[in-house]
């Protein structure tokens, strides 16, 4: 008895999605058929209708992102007993080669290569995130300065 309900729900959601796509295409055609100046947003119009307050979402997420990146880097830099560390994966590759498990060693070596590439990426992202945090601090300072 459950299968017909699932099929019906899937068909209705597909129909709704198709309707949304068609209405979006129709409005895009209408915008293209109008004058060229009306299709482009004006310089004074707010972007995407959101107006001021750009960056509020990223500023709110900065502390959580910092913790997440630091946690990942701590894990990668851990010793051979830390799960997810580069040292542990190197040890696993060495053990697989010692036991002549070439397929496993190759698989683990590929994972090790990816994990080593991840470390500089996370370090760069942490540096970028510090710049974002500094920008957010200046934005908060601007708001506090204009309130008085």
């Amino acid at each position: 008895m459950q299968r017909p309900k699932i099929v019906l729900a899937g068909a209705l959601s597909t129909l709704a999605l198709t309707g949304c796509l068609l209405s979006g295409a129709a409005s895009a055609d209408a915008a293209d058929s109008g004058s060229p100046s009306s299709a482009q947003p004006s310089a004074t119009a707010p972007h995407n209708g959101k107006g001021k307050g750009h960056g509020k979402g990223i500023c709110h997420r900065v502390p959580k992102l910092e913790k997440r990146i630091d946690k990942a880097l701590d894990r990668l830099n851990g010793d051979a007993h830390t799960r997810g560390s580069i040292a542990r994966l190197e040890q696993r590759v060495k053990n697989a080669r010692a036991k002549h498990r070439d397929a496993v060693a190759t698989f683990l070596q590929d994972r090790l290569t990816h994990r080593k590439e991840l470390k500089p990426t996370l370090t760069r992202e942490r540096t970028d995130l510090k710049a974002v945090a500094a920008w957010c601090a200046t934005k908060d300072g601007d708001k506090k300065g204009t309130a008085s």
Side-chain angles (χ1 to χ4, degrees):
M1 246 340 162
Q2 290 295 329
R3 184 164 301 275
K5 290 180 183 178
I6 292 171
V7 171
L8 181 63
L12 288 176
S13 63
T14 303
L15 184 62
L17 179 62
T18 305
C20 290
L21 291 174
L22 289 177
S23 66
S27 63
D29 288 340
D32 289 342
S33 65
S35 66
S37 62
S38 67
Q40 298 174 351
S42 67
T44 58
H47 181 65
N48 291 336
K50 293 184 181 180
K52 294 182 181 179
H54 295 297
K56 186 176 9 175
I58 188 73
C59 291
H60 180 71
R61 291 189 305 264
V62 165
K64 290 181 182 180
L65 291 171
E66 285 176 339
K67 287 180 187 177
R68 187 174 181 178
I69 290 172
D70 289 340
K71 185 178 177 181
L73 283 171
D74 288 343
R75 187 179 330 115
L76 287 173
N77 293 328
D79 60 357
H81 299 292
T82 304
R83 292 182 70 180
S85 69
I86 292 173
R88 182 179 175 127
L89 199 50
E90 286 173 342
Q91 183 65 41
R92 290 181 67 193
V93 169
K94 190 185 299 181
N95 291 345
R97 287 204 174 116
K99 294 179 182 179
H100 303 292
R101 296 180 177 165
D102 295 331
V104 174
T106 303
F107 173 75
L108 292 175
Q109 184 62 48
D110 290 344
R111 287 179 62 190
L112 179 62
T113 303
H114 173 70
R115 205 166 285 178
K116 284 182 178 180
E117 291 170 355
L118 188 62
K119 189 175 174 181
T121 302
L122 288 173
T123 305
R124 185 179 60 247
E125 286 178 359
R126 181 170 47 179
T127 305
D128 293 345
L129 197 58
K130 286 182 182 180
V132 171
W135 178 80
C136 290
T138 62
K139 297 300 273 183
D140 288 342
D142 290 346
K143 290 178 184 175
K144 291 176 184 173
T146 58
S148 56

